[in-house]
């Protein structure tokens, strides 16, 4: 059995603490992935396999895309595709964009104020298929990849005893993530906002996987590289690196710890390079390495007064964001339906995170996961706007990786029927949300 241990020497701090636990709170010692009994349970357990869960998500997301129109179409706001095409032609601005909503106008040129990494990721596809590449097909495929990454992440967290779960629990958690969270309403629809969030999630998931899977310099470098890609997509996602940094520290701790500073440099180096590249990118566009163009963007009229008075980030926005992300319920259809919706009412499986916080082992790991969630949530709560148009709190995808690990810690304490019931309820609500989006989105 693999445990969360350091590479050399004495037990890591969390492991040493866990050895003093009573038997009722000891870590699970069963072999990872042992199948449950019964044919139906074995069928359900298939979906914890990354390949099968990814294929299922690809089929379902693809069917949703087709249900809203033709398969190979382009969303109204494929800005990352256009930016990839601009990069291929040696430009940083968009050439005669068909839409200018939320684009930044500076010195007569239109730019994206979002990070450039999704466009870099799209460049090979645009080079092969042209500017008319379907961004909806891209996000459909990327959403399926993200589901597979979550399945792999849950497996690795079980093997490392970070969040021990059974194969059935992992299967239900993967199904829940794919079809009972905001993934259900982001993956099939393309659009610049959804694309950025999905790419950012990919970077964070890969960072956590690297921290859980590798050891030595490779673990630090790959974790830092994945976080750098996430930061170049959505800048504040670098804050999600708190738990991977903690985990790498614990698993590489030695009594002498002389190796840790050099390993930390290896991990931080990709972030420093990415930050420098981002500064150069902004300087070339706006003449200032600290200016991303947000102040010049063509925002919706409903935000302009608040932006002039409070700016893009302010405590003024916290009450509304708290309401739409954690309290509001979008059913039946009302004026608040497209502003988001309560994370825990729409995705009640996440309530298990409270069990994970109370009883999760290692305890310090659970607390660091909570701190990571809170750290990433701060700029989200301070942000102007709730993410309209949407069903569900789509900005919470930014901290969903640590939240899922905390939830996985908690479902150990849940009876199987509770996890199954809340998973089903989550999926049903997001299926209803898709119907609402059908009347809001115009393709």
């Amino acid at each position: 059995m693999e445990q969360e241990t350091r590479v050399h020497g004495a037990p890591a701090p969390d492991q040493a603490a866990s050895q003093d636990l009573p038997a009722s709170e000891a870590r699970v010692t069963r072999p990872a992935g042992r199948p449950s009994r019964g044919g139906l349970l074995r069928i359900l357990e298939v979906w914890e396999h990354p390949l099968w869960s990814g294929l299922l998500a690809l089929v379902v997301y693809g069917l949703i895309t087709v249900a809203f129109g033709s398969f190979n179409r382009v969303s109204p706001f494929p800005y990352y595709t256009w930016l990839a095409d601009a990069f291929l032609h040696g430009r940083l601005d968009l050439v005669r964009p068909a839409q200018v909503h939320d684009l930044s106008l500076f010195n007569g040129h239109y730019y994206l104020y979002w990070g450039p990494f999704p466009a870099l990721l799209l460049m090979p596809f645009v080079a092969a298929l042209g500017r008319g590449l379907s961004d909806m097909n891209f996000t459909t495929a990327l959403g399926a990849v993200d589901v597979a990454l979550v399945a792999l992440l849950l497996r690795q967290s079980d093997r490392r005893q970070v969040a021990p779960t059974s194969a059935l629990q992992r299967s239900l958690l993967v199904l829940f993530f794919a079809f009972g969270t905001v993934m259900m309403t982001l993956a099939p629809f393309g659009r610049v906002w959804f694309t950025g969030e999905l790419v950012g999630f990919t970077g964070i998931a890969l960072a956590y996987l690297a921290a859980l899977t590798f050891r030595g310099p490779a673990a630090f470098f790959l974790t830092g590289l994945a976080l750098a890609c996430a930061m170049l997509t959505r800048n504040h996602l670098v804050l999600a690196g708190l738990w991977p940094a903690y985990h790498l520290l614990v698993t590489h701790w030695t009594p002498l710890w002389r190796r840790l500073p050099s390993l930390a440099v290896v991990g931080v180096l990709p972030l420093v390079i990415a930050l420098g590249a981002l500064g150069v990118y902004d300087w070339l566009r706006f003449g200032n390495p600290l200016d991303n163009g947000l102040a010049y963007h063509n925002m919706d009229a409903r935000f302009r007064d608040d932006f002039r008075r409070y700016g893009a980030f302010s405590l003024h926005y916290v009450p509304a964001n708290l309401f739409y992300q954690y309290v509001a319920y979008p059913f039946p259809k009302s004026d608040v339906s497209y502003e988001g919706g309560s994370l825990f009412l729409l995705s009640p499986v996440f309530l298990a995170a409270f069990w994970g916080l109370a009883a999760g082992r290692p305890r310090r790991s659970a607390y660091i996961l909570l701190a990571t969630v809170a750290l990433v949530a701060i700029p989200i709560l301070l942000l102007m706007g709730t993410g309209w148009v949407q069903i569900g709190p789509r900005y919470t995808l930014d901290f969903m990786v640590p939240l899922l690990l905390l939830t996985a810690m908690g479902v150990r304490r849940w009876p199987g029927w509770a996890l199954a019931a809340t998973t089903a309820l989550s999926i049903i609500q997001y299926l209803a949300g898709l119907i609402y989006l059908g009347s809001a989105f115009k393709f």
Side-chain angles (χ1 to χ4, degrees):
M1 177 187 70
E2 294 181 79
Q3 292 183 333
E4 186 181 75
T5 59
R6 61 179 175 79
V7 174
H8 306 290
D14 269 354
Q15 187 189 17
S18 68
Q19 291 173 346
D20 297 328
L21 295 174
S24 61
E25 295 185 351
R27 294 182 181 181
V28 175
T29 57
R30 54 158 183 78
R34 178 186 296 170
S36 303
R37 295 179 182 178
L40 179 59
L41 294 183
R42 286 194 178 93
I43 293 173
L44 283 174
E45 288 172 1
V46 167
W47 305 118
E48 70 95 29
H49 192 287
L51 175 61
W52 295 117
S53 60
L55 287 175
L56 176 64
L58 182 64
V59 170
V60 174
Y61 296 158
L63 289 174
I64 293 170
T65 302
V66 171
F68 282 79
S70 61
F71 177 72
N72 200 38
R73 70 193 185 283
V74 179
S75 82
F77 307 101
Y79 295 163
Y80 282 122
T81 303
W82 296 348
L83 183 59
D85 181 68
F87 286 166
L88 289 170
H89 289 86
R91 302 179 64 108
L92 301 179
D93 63 316
L94 303 186
V95 181
R96 295 186 299 276
Q99 296 279 353
V100 298
H101 176 69
D102 261 5
L103 291 178
S104 297
L105 179 61
F106 184 79
N107 288 341
H109 299 278
Y110 285 103
Y111 301 94
L112 277 68
Y113 67 82
W114 305 278
F117 181 71
L120 297 175
L121 192 62
L122 278 162
M123 283 176 66
F125 303 101
V126 174
L129 301 174
R131 181 185 169 97
L133 171 76
S134 170
D135 61 325
M136 299 177 73
N137 287 355
F138 176 75
T139 58
T140 295
L142 184 61
V145 170
D146 285 343
V147 171
L149 288 176
V150 165
L152 188 57
L153 179 64
L154 291 173
R155 278 189 167 191
Q156 283 298 99
S157 64
D158 175 68
R159 288 169 180 161
R160 298 296 185 189
Q161 295 294 284
V162 169
T165 46
S166 69
L168 179 59
Q169 288 169 335
R170 292 194 298 277
S171 292
L172 290 173
L173 284 172
V174 171
L175 291 173
F176 158 70
F177 169 74
F179 310 123
T181 70
V182 291
M183 281 294 296
M184 184 70 151
T185 51
L186 296 183
F189 297 117
R191 300 172 174 243
V192 62
W193 310 278
F194 298 0
T195 303
E197 287 171 15
L198 292 168
V199 172
F201 181 91
T202 306
I204 297 304
L206 288 173
Y208 279 62
L209 270 172
L212 284 168
T213 304
F214 299 99
R215 292 293 177 263
F220 283 80
F221 177 75
L222 292 174
T223 301
L225 180 62
L227 282 172
C229 294
M231 182 181 70
L232 287 173
T233 303
R234 293 170 63 76
N235 299 160
H236 68 282
L237 290 184
V238 69
L239 302 175
L242 176 63
W243 186 88
Y246 155 80
H247 180 77
L248 289 173
L249 174 66
V250 167
T251 54
H252 291 78
W253 184 266
T254 68
L256 297 178
W257 57 267
R258 291 194 181 102
R259 199 176 171 216
L260 278 178
S262 61
L263 290 174
V265 169
V266 171
V268 170
L269 184 60
L271 292 167
V272 173
I273 294 174
L275 189 61
L278 192 60
V280 171
Y281 177 64
D282 288 338
W283 175 72
L284 290 172
R285 299 186 303 161
F286 306 116
N288 184 342
L290 301 179
D291 187 353
N292 65 358
L294 181 62
Y296 322 122
H297 85 285
N298 181 31
M299 68 190 72
D300 192 275
R302 65 206 299 264
F303 300 125
R304 290 173 187 166
D305 287 342
D306 278 348
F307 182 79
R308 281 193 290 266
R309 294 182 63 186
Y310 305 106
F313 295 90
S314 170
L315 290 172
H316 171 76
Y317 306 123
V318 171
N321 284 325
L322 282 173
F323 176 74
Y324 287 116
Q325 292 174 22
Y326 299 100
V327 178
Y329 191 66
F331 308 115
K333 190 174 179 180
S334 67
D335 291 340
V336 305
S337 293
Y338 300 129
E339 296 280 2
S342 168
L343 175 69
F344 297 106
L345 290 179
L346 292 176
S347 300
V349 176
F350 283 137
L351 291 171
F354 295 102
W355 274 257
L357 183 62
R361 296 294 187 273
R363 296 300 298 275
R364 190 179 292 114
S365 184
Y367 295 149
I368 298 296
L369 284 170
L370 176 65
T372 306
V373 170
L375 198 59
V376 178
I378 289 172
I380 296 172
L381 292 175
L382 294 171
L383 178 64
M384 174 187 68
T386 61
W388 185 88
V389 174
Q390 64 184 16
I391 295 292
R394 65 178 173 91
Y395 290 146
T396 62
L397 191 68
D398 291 345
F399 57 71
M400 204 163 283
V401 171
L403 182 60
L404 277 168
L405 288 182
L406 197 56
T407 300
M409 288 182 176
V411 297
R412 273 184 62 194
R413 306 283 174 163
W414 277 20
W417 66 264
L419 178 56
T422 51
T423 297
L425 179 59
S426 302
I427 293 173
I428 290 170
Q429 292 184 108
Y430 271 95
L431 284 172
L434 285 171
I435 298 173
Y436 281 17
L437 286 181
S439 61
F441 286 172
K442 296 178 177 62
F443 298 103

